[in-house]
Amino acid sequence: MTSPSTAVPPPEAVGPLIRGLAVLRSLSSGDQQRAGDLARATGLARSTVDRILATLEATGHVRLDGHEAVLAPRAMEFGNAYLTFCRLPDLLGPLADRLADTIDESVSISVPDLDGVRFVHQATRRRAMSLTFRIGDLLPAERGAPGALFAAGWTEREWDAWRHRRTADPNGVGFRHIPADGGSAAASFPDRVATARAAGFAVDDQLIEPALIAIAAPLNAPDGTTAAAISVVSHTSRHTAGTLAATVLPALRDTVARMRDVLATPTPPAEPESVGRPEATPVRSLARGLAVLTALGGSPDGLTLTAVAQATGLPRATARRSLMTLEHLGYAADGRLFRPTPRVLDLGYAALSQRTLSQIAEPHLATLVGQVHESASMSVLANTDIRYIARVPTVRIMSVNITVGTRFPAYAASMGRVLLAGLPSEERAALLRRTKPVALTNRTVTSHRQLLEILSIVEHQGHAFVEDELEEGLRSIAVPVRDLTGQVVAAVNVSSHTSPEPSAQALARLLPPLRATAAAIESDVRIVGRHQAVTTP
Ligand code: PHB
């Protein structure tokens, strides 16, 4: 179990893919970095980093902001490939969420990743201040409850690898997101593993940070291996490690039994998704390798070389060299079939997993403002109001003065009408009944009947156009932003002072780029929300 990436690459390895993934990994540790810093961190030439970044921008995985490189939501596709392949968030996430609701404590699902523990699902109920792991974060096995369960099945070689890592990095500097512990967790680890093996559950009594406690139970795969650990996380203000175990173990074990049933139920094989042939980029072999990595999520059983070549449109020999390179770096494993490993989550997933809806929208709104030279915003419904969650103003002196957090009555605002139109008809009518429309200008529509008619038109035409109703001289066009399920989760608009340009002309000019912006945001939301909820601040 030596770290695969430190071994000598096989002769067929694709150098640009190795270097490109090194840049992606380095970006993932900070999410946003200058090209020069990336060159220093990876030991690559600045010109190489520039070419890699240009490629990653062309593939949509990175956004370049001057000399800064920022991970784009699309980089979550790699982690999604692993999470889709392993199926645990999709199959078990709802049961973990239900357990968290029942016991009112946080519940997480983690999987073994060499001598570490990788989080794949979080149902968070944190009241006391404590550390929260992101999906994709890696914990050393000796810190936390799940590692003791996974290590219960380790071979002597795996224990050697763990000791080797401890010797090479005694202070755990490779795990920057948790506080150092001075080695006490490692000293007690072998004993805790033995105790966990005998008890069938493991305890974390403040192994990560003071006051944070957890218990974890193993989830065995149908083949008897420990596929995952289900952890209940609490705080010393509510429990001791002992009372936590006594209180929640029955419910935890019940959930694990249900999860085992779910895993044992065969699911129909899915058709591997085509990821499409990679586009022409400065470093073609990097783009091809990334397409291969993304394709590995295509089937829960793993893919044959032929299936990978088909899904990416690449020649078999090219796909094979990419697969060997990914395997060498520890991102793919090859049994009978090729599959992605949990380590893939290091490539941007954890760094991006807490992107909020407004953070996803902002760069797209900025692009729109650059195109149309009008202010652009995003809002969500807050009872009968809309609440601005993102706004990119134009630099024009006469710009409309609205900031994030601003509220307007939904019935009179273009985004409000789009959001109301996105509700199921009963909810829409109920919400309007709770609204007391007032004439904000002499053009504001205030009749319930008329508003319902307008909302039905907005629903069918897919946009709302409001002029002089919210404020004299204010014109705004809005369209919906939908999630994976088709539900309207937000609205985006462009707004400006009424100009001499006729309304119909303004609509014809602004609607196509506004729709394209909504589509770009939706595409990102689908990637970020594939295996977890996208949060709205
Ligand atoms: C967590 O999910 O945050 C967690 C899980 C296990 C631990 C500690 C924290 O031991």
Side-chain angles (χ1 to χ4, degrees), residues 181-204:
D181 82 325
S184 62
S188 65
F189 189 50
D191 281 347
R192 282 186 287 114
V193 173
T195 307
R197 192 187 292 118
F201 70 95
V203 177
D204 166 2

Side-chain angles (χ1 to χ4, degrees), residues 108 119 122 126 131-133 139 144-146 204 208 212 214 231 233:
S108 64
F119 290 93
Q122 284 284 2
R126 289 212 200 281
L131 200 147
T132 306
F133 294 108
L139 198 64
D204 166 2
I208 299 169
L212 178 66
S231 303
V233 190

Side-chain angles (χ1 to χ4, degrees), residues 143-161:
R143 306 286 295 275
L149 299 171
F150 299 146
W154 280 358
T155 61
E156 218 21 73
R157 265 188 74 196
E158 288 171 314
W159 277 106
D160 280 346

Side-chain angles (χ1 to χ4, degrees), residues 226-459:
T226 304
I230 316 303
S231 303
V232 174
V233 190
S234 189
H235 190 269
T236 49
S237 63
R238 296 192 293 283
H239 278 295
T240 64
T243 65
L244 180 65
T247 314
V248 306
L249 206 48
L252 175 59
R253 288 200 155 131
D254 185 56
T255 296
V256 167
R258 280 169 212 248
M259 289 177 165
R260 216 175 286 132
D261 291 344
V262 171
L263 287 189
T265 310
T267 46
E271 267 301 302
E273 256 175 60
S274 166
V275 297
R277 211 185 150 79
E279 289 167 35
T281 56
V283 190
R284 189 171 65 159
S285 52
L286 169 57
R288 289 175 156 190
L290 296 179
V292 166
L293 181 54
T294 309
L296 289 182
S299 163
D301 303 319
L303 294 177
T304 61
L305 173 59
T306 306
V308 172
Q310 263 164 13
T312 53
L314 294 173
R316 274 171 64 94
T318 308
R320 192 177 144 274
R321 290 186 60 206
S322 288
L323 285 166
M324 294 197 55
T325 309
L326 294 170
E327 204 178 331
H328 160 70
L329 296 173
Y331 295 121
D334 169 19
R336 204 170 45 78
L337 300 163
F338 292 96
R339 55 206 154 81
T341 65
R343 178 181 288 205
V344 169
L345 290 162
D346 270 343
L347 300 170
Y349 196 96
L352 289 164
S353 67
Q354 288 170 334
R355 276 267 145 120
T356 60
L357 186 55
S358 44
Q359 289 170 329
I360 294 169
E362 261 153 23
H364 298 292
L365 295 178
T367 303
L368 176 64
V369 171
Q371 287 166 2
V372 302
H373 311 291
E374 312 272 14
S375 301
S377 308
M378 177 182 259
S379 290
V380 292
L381 216 45
N383 195 9
T384 59
D385 284 345
I386 60 164
R387 180 168 58 85
Y388 279 71
I389 62 166
R391 171 140 178 106
V392 178
T394 50
V395 284
R396 269 208 246 137
I397 299 167
M398 272 246 310
S399 68
V400 181
N401 196 11
I402 299 165
T403 57
V404 167
T406 297
R407 284 173 176 243
F408 285 129
Y411 65 90
S414 65
M415 290 192 280
R417 290 187 181 168
V418 161
L419 292 165
L420 292 173
L423 294 175
S425 55
E426 273 146 57
E427 256 180 75
R428 184 195 298 177
L431 206 145
L432 266 192
R433 275 196 298 278
R434 291 206 303 274
T435 306
K436 301 243 173 308
V438 290
L440 301 164
T441 72
N442 57 17
R443 287 188 59 182
T444 314
V445 174
T446 55
S447 127
H448 275 121
R449 190 189 46 77
Q450 226 181 320
L451 281 169
L452 278 173
E453 275 169 24
I454 290 173
L455 293 181
S456 148
I457 294 168
V458 168
E459 184 184 1

